[in-house]
Amino acid sequence: FPSDKIRNFSIIAHIDHGKSTLADRLMELTGTIKKGHGQPQYLDKLQVERERGITVKAQTATMFYENKVKDQEASGFLLNLIDTPGHVDFSYEVSRSLSACQGALLVVDAAQGVQAQTVANFYLAFEANLTIVPVINKIDQPTADPDRVKAQLKSMFDLDTDEVLLVSAKTGLGLEHVLPAVIERIPPPPGISDSPLRMLLFDSFFNEYKGVVCYVSVVDGMLRKGDKVSFAATGQSYEVLDVGIMHPELTSTGMLLTGQVGYIVTGMRTTKEARIGDTIYRTKTTVEPLPGFKPVRHMVFSGVYPADGSDFEALTHAIEKLTCNDASVSVAKETSAALGMGFRCGFLGLLHMDVFHQRLEQEYGTQVISTIPTVPYTFEYSDGSKLQVQNPAALPSNPKYRVTASWEPTVIATIILPSEYVGALDILLNGQAVDALATIVHNQKAYRVGKELVEKLKNFIERQMFEVMIQAAIGSKIIARDTISAMRKNVLAKCYGGDITRKKKLLEKQKEGKKRMKRVGSVDIPHEAFQQILKVS
Ligand code: GTP
């Protein structure tokens, strides 16, 4: 297959929007798996995925497809599809998979519309410069509203509504348009076939018979079984003992060409030698290493100990093999007075931690005890030194210096949600909302902030000719109120007699002042008031 007949794409979506089901249908359509194979979500192979009904591991499948464009002859294409997880804890899986692709099918549920992980995954794909093919799935549902979802895709991601595919992965409706769109819209891989070999190691797993299996994407050049290859990060060299594609099971092909995604087996002895993101090249050639991946940021740490203290060896092996398949876990040995020898592991979130424990038990038969999860803390002492603590036991109870500051991780988050879910705090003047003063605050702070805003407003708004009612409200609920009583304000009151120029001057001044006022309904608010009020937090 020349690379212009290759397309590498992934399927991204929010949880449960139907990625794995769509992947099944595409594999059936191309004869990669048999129809009615009796195993829905074929690529969700792990027991934990089947039990929980979620994808936790990205999976790759190579498909062969004859594309018939109207008057032209049918031509064969090699399509590599990567099914990715939807849950946020596994977005590292998604970003790694995207590095082996040029395009992505962005699947959105026709009833639910755009959801949090739709947005997050869209941006991962967008930042990776992938061509995005929008697919609205589940159009068979009675509550499906594809027009609303199309409008969302347009307004949030600027996607062309004419390019949105409407499908039902369940009934098969519209599916025939998906692969032609992949071929027409997603560019072929850009590699150079007569350049020296360069491959990206994007995933790996441990197989009882083959040992460490590396998933690679061939960026430049080509690879044959028996070739000698070196790994840039580890500096190790190996002979390629087996090479092939995932069709969808490992299928030897003897070679991989530019742009292809496949697997290689070398004589690696330990899983540590397969470093995810590494560049693989032909031994004795010089190549520029590929950019690799952003390092993972661990959010949650917990101790993992064998349930039976004597099983430490077995746990060590199990963890080593499992981390080969899950590069996002960090592992360091630790000892606990109560539990003996074990490991401190770093995870991307609580679901990730849960899944890791379950996989240790189900796939490796190890019973583990895990300690209460904790986030990493940093402590600063009076001598200026800092200590990072991932395990509560590591915090000295009698330190030489006093702790002067401590930090815990915080998240800078952007929350996108439909307006009906926003419990916005409105400020009303005589019943009319002042949009510039509306704010979103935490429930617990709403009463305090509301009261403060009302008080400040009362101080800054001058008395008017009529009574002004100031209210703070959440929806229709008023949580704070006050009134400014009416006053007859006459700037000319102090001018006795008929000094017309003085009167004029005063009126001019009043007009000037009015310009700097913001009129809300019938109430004037001075600009300074806005500035002062917005200082409340
Ligand atoms: P994660 O991997 O957990 O992120 O989920 P996913 O996006 O892979 O979703 P999955 O394919 O597991 O589908 C979720 C549910 O939606 C399953 O119960 C599917 O049977 C159902 N489903 C998928 N496609 C359709 C469709 O077109 N119509 C209807 N009605 N249901 C669908």
Side-chain angles (χ1 to χ4, degrees):
F1 277 89
S3 46
D4 68 327
K5 298 282 186 216
I6 298 177
R7 298 291 183 273
N8 299 320
F9 68 102
S10 93
I11 309 188
I12 53 175
H14 186 75
I15 312 150
D16 275 352
H17 282 196
K19 290 178 305 289
S20 305
T21 311
L22 179 63
D24 276 5
R25 290 296 98 78
L26 298 180
M27 285 192 290
E28 284 172 6
L29 206 104
T30 51
T32 315
I33 56 173
K34 282 205 187 76
K35 227 184 174 137
H37 47 77
Q39 190 174 302
Q41 285 98 31
Y42 187 89
L43 292 176
D44 285 347
K45 292 178 182 152
L46 306 176
Q47 192 179 340
V48 51
E49 293 179 316
R50 302 205 154 270
E51 282 175 14
R52 293 180 185 238
I54 57 167
T55 306
V56 305
K57 192 64 212 150
Q59 290 295 348
T60 310
T62 298
M63 311 183 291
F64 297 97
Y65 181 66
E66 283 274 307
N67 192 39
K68 283 201 186 73
V69 184
K70 261 184 248 154
D71 304 327
Q72 294 168 21
E73 276 201 21
S75 62
F77 281 84
L78 188 147
L79 309 176
N80 291 305
L81 170 159
I82 306 186
D83 182 22
T84 61
H87 194 283
V88 62
D89 277 21
F90 306 106
S91 60
Y92 189 63
E93 281 288 319
V94 181
S95 61
R96 280 190 294 117
S97 310
L98 296 185
S99 66
C101 298
Q102 285 72 47
L105 294 178
L106 177 71
V107 176
V108 187
D109 184 309
Q112 285 190 10
V114 171
Q115 298 286 316
Q117 286 308 109
T118 319
V119 180
N121 288 330
F122 167 83
Y123 281 108
L124 284 180
F126 187 72
E127 280 160 19
N129 272 327
L130 301 194
T131 302
I132 291 159
V133 179
V135 179
I136 297 182
N137 184 33
K138 307 199 189 183
I139 55 166
D140 59 290
Q141 293 179 108
T143 49
D145 187 356
D147 287 339
R148 181 181 72 93
V149 183
K150 267 190 191 175
Q152 282 185 330
L153 290 170
K154 170 81 188 141
S155 71
M156 296 186 74
F157 309 132
D158 202 22
L159 292 169
D160 190 341
T161 44
D162 293 336
E163 300 207 330
V164 179
L165 304 176
L166 300 182
V167 307
S168 164
K170 189 174 171 186
T171 66
L173 199 69
L175 282 181
E176 69 279 12
H177 301 300
V178 177
L179 293 179
V182 164
I183 287 167
E184 280 156 33
R185 299 188 208 168
I186 297 175
I192 307 163
S193 52
D194 49 14
S195 273
L197 172 72
R198 256 197 329 172
M199 301 193 288
L200 174 73
L201 168 58
F202 71 92
D203 205 352
S204 62
F205 74 98
F206 189 83
N207 177 290
E208 281 308 319
Y209 306 105
K210 293 181 185 282
V212 179
V213 179
C214 298
Y215 283 157
V216 294
S217 126
V218 184
V219 176
D220 295 318
M222 67 163 304
L223 175 84
R224 272 180 213 281
K225 182 177 168 180
D227 283 354
K228 292 254 168 29
V229 291
S230 299
F231 286 58
T234 60
Q236 303 275 358
S237 301
Y238 312 86
E239 182 184 334
V240 176
L241 305 176
D242 186 13
V243 47
I245 55 173
M246 290 68 91
H247 188 51
E249 306 303 335
L250 301 185
T251 310
S252 295
T253 56
M255 60 154 83
L256 282 178
L257 303 176
T258 313
Q260 269 195 286
V261 173
Y263 74 90
I264 63 167
V265 176
T266 65
M268 265 183 202
R269 271 178 297 278
T270 71
T271 54
K272 288 197 191 80
E273 293 164 58
R275 213 166 294 164
I276 303 304
D278 204 351
T279 303
I280 308 172
Y281 58 98
R282 198 178 304 283
T283 308
K284 292 195 181 132
T285 59
T286 328
V287 295
E288 176 84 3
L290 298 160
F293 303 118
K294 267 196 228 159
V296 209
R297 266 257 178 104
H298 299 105
M299 305 293 174
V300 180
F301 289 83
S302 110
V304 178
Y305 292 86
D308 169 358
S310 59
D311 266 358
F312 180 67
E313 279 286 290
L315 178 65
T316 310
H317 287 304
I319 287 193
E320 204 184 287
K321 285 173 189 163
L322 186 50
T323 48
C324 176
N325 195 220
D326 186 353
S328 52
V329 179
S330 75
V331 181
K333 276 196 183 141
E334 74 170 11
T335 319
S336 140
L339 300 168
M341 299 244 280
F343 297 93
R344 177 124 301 244
C345 298
F347 304 97
L348 300 179
L350 289 174
L351 176 63
H352 182 212
M353 185 182 88
D354 245 25
V355 164
F356 187 80
H357 290 156
Q358 200 175 335
R359 288 186 70 185
L360 272 180
E361 293 193 12
Q362 290 178 337
E363 293 169 39
Y364 298 94
T366 41
Q367 297 293 323
V368 295
I369 295 176
S370 60
T371 60
I372 298 171
T374 176
V375 293
Y377 289 92
T378 302
F379 295 94
E380 189 179 276
Y381 290 94
S382 51
D383 68 337
S385 64
K386 282 190 180 153
L387 177 70
Q388 250 245 354
V389 174
Q390 290 158 2
N391 179 356
L395 184 66
S397 47
N398 253 329
K400 219 160 125 195
Y401 299 97
R402 203 165 39 84
V403 173
T404 49
S406 51
W407 289 274
E408 61 179 347
T410 50
V411 172
I412 300 174
T414 307
I415 302 175
I416 300 171
L417 65 166
S419 51
E420 64 260 37
Y421 296 116
V422 181
L425 172 60
D426 277 325
I427 296 296
L428 313 170
L429 288 181
N430 280 353
Q432 188 161 352
V434 188
D435 58 353
L437 296 179
T439 173
I440 297 173
V441 285
H442 194 282
N443 242 344
Q444 289 168 350
K445 288 190 186 165
Y447 284 84
R448 181 178 63 79
V449 174
K451 197 160 162 275
E452 279 177 22
L453 280 172
V454 168
E455 267 171 27
K456 283 218 172 183
L457 266 176
K458 190 177 177 190
N459 292 336
F460 281 103
I461 297 178
E462 283 182 31
R463 289 171 128 195
Q464 320 259 328
M465 311 285 261
F466 43 84
E467 188 181 81
V468 177
M469 183 167 60
I470 311 169
Q471 294 167 313
I474 304 174
S476 57
K477 190 168 147 204
I478 304 294
I479 56 166
R481 62 163 293 156
D482 213 330
T483 42
I484 304 172
S485 52
M487 187 188 89
R488 196 179 162 75
K489 194 169 181 212
N490 184 354
V491 286
L492 304 182
K494 287 184 213 141
C495 302
Y496 306 106
D499 184 350
I500 187 84
T501 46
R502 189 167 144 72
K503 269 186 194 166
K504 264 195 176 157
K505 255 191 194 160
L506 278 167
L507 286 169
E508 282 288 311
K509 215 171 145 201
Q510 193 190 34
K511 214 164 126 198
E512 263 304 296
K514 277 234 161 107
K515 267 195 209 157
R516 290 189 290 117
M517 297 273 196
K518 169 128 180 66
R519 177 162 277 240
V520 175
S522 50
V523 186
D524 291 325
I525 313 173
H527 264 194
E528 299 84 68
F530 276 101
Q531 279 154 11
Q532 290 301 321
I533 288 158
L534 296 174
K535 280 186 190 161
V536 180
S537 62

